[in-house]
Amino acid sequence: MKKLFLLTFLLLGFVFDGISAQDRHDGHRAHEAYGQHDRHHHRSPYFVNDGKVFFEGRELKDASASSFTILKDGYAKDTWNVYYFGRVINDASSNSFKVLGYGYAKDTWNVYYNGVRIPDASSNSFTVLSDWYAKDSWNAYYDGHKISDASSGSFKVLRDGYAKDTWNVFFDGRKIEDASPGSFKVLHDGYAKDTWNTYYYGKAIK
């Protein structure tokens, strides 16, 4: 009886973990910031009127209405500052600031994810790929975080959260232990396989 209970518990854990991963990759995935700030509407939360700038009904006192530009992904800028969902990004360069997509942005010196600087990321070589993956000359990133053991030179995104380089396979930025990149193929609906295993949202099916 104890063995049956343990088996049921483990099975349920696997199922719920798969559901959680599926929620991230069924075409409706959004970062928490978007869930917070855009849950009631799809219009920009910024508004410029009568020489004033507002964010979700709150006046941005120091923003310049005459030079204020609304960008994508919650970003905006004026002559002096860059904003992310109404908050000034310290030390960001307004003149060179560009939004790259998936929450990533950069200026001449730094790279940002959801308004936060990514330590040591190379602005000059930083490229956004897809599915929240990005890379520069030295590292690969997922959700703004450096991916351990990833090789930037050979790193490429597959789909459904999967990616690989010459030596490893990744799901949502986490290495899939013992997966074979040479034979790895993404199937559909979260499934993938290599020569030895089948995977469901990054977990080997035993």
Side-chain angles (χ1 to χ4, degrees):
M1 189 68 178
K2 289 183 178 179
K3 290 183 178 179
L4 179 60
F5 176 79
L6 180 60
L7 181 61
T8 303
F9 180 79
L10 291 174
L11 181 61
L12 285 173
F14 177 79
V15 169
F16 283 118
D17 197 42
I19 291 173
S20 176
Q22 184 177 4
D23 288 341
R24 294 194 298 271
H25 298 287
D26 64 356
H28 302 287
R29 183 187 187 278
H31 190 271
E32 290 176 356
Y34 298 100
Q36 277 187 323
H37 297 287
D38 201 32
R39 59 187 179 276
H40 299 307
H41 52 78
H42 297 288
R43 290 173 292 182
S44 171
Y46 295 101
F47 180 64
V48 181
N49 187 52
D50 290 336
K52 297 180 180 180
V53 180
F54 300 88
F55 174 79
E56 290 193 336
R58 171 175 60 87
E59 184 181 354
L60 302 181
K61 298 287 188 180
D62 297 324
S64 167
S66 61
S67 64
F68 198 84
T69 303
I70 299 171
L71 306 173
K72 298 185 297 181
D73 294 352
Y75 291 101
K77 68 178 184 177
D78 60 19
T79 303
W80 295 279
N81 293 305
V82 179
Y83 304 83
Y84 180 73
F85 283 111
R87 176 179 59 81
V88 173
I89 304 175
N90 292 330
D91 300 323
S93 168
S94 174
N95 185 54
S96 61
F97 192 85
K98 296 179 181 178
V99 177
L100 306 176
Y102 289 98
Y104 292 100
K106 70 177 183 177
D107 59 21
T108 302
W109 297 278
N110 295 301
V111 180
Y112 306 87
Y113 180 71
N114 290 341
V116 178
R117 186 177 71 87
I118 302 175
D120 302 321
S122 167
S123 174
N124 186 54
S125 62
F126 195 87
T127 303
V128 173
L129 303 174
S130 61
D131 291 348
W132 288 265
Y133 285 102
K135 70 177 183 176
D136 60 19
S137 296
W138 295 276
N139 297 293
Y141 303 85
Y142 179 79
D143 262 355
H145 298 285
K146 188 185 301 184
I147 302 173
S148 297
D149 301 323
S151 171
S152 173
S154 61
F155 190 88
K156 64 179 181 179
V157 179
L158 303 175
R159 66 176 188 274
D160 294 345
Y162 291 102
K164 71 177 183 177
D165 61 19
T166 302
W167 295 278
N168 295 299
V169 180
F170 306 88
F171 178 76
D172 278 2
R174 299 185 301 271
K175 184 169 70 173
I176 303 175
E177 296 296 337
D178 301 322
S180 168
S183 62
F184 194 88
K185 294 181 180 179
V186 178
L187 303 174
H188 53 81
D189 297 328
Y191 287 93
K193 70 174 184 177
D194 61 17
T195 302
W196 294 278
N197 292 297
T198 299
Y199 304 87
Y200 183 64
Y201 288 106
K203 295 202 169 197
I205 299 173
K206 302 297 184 180

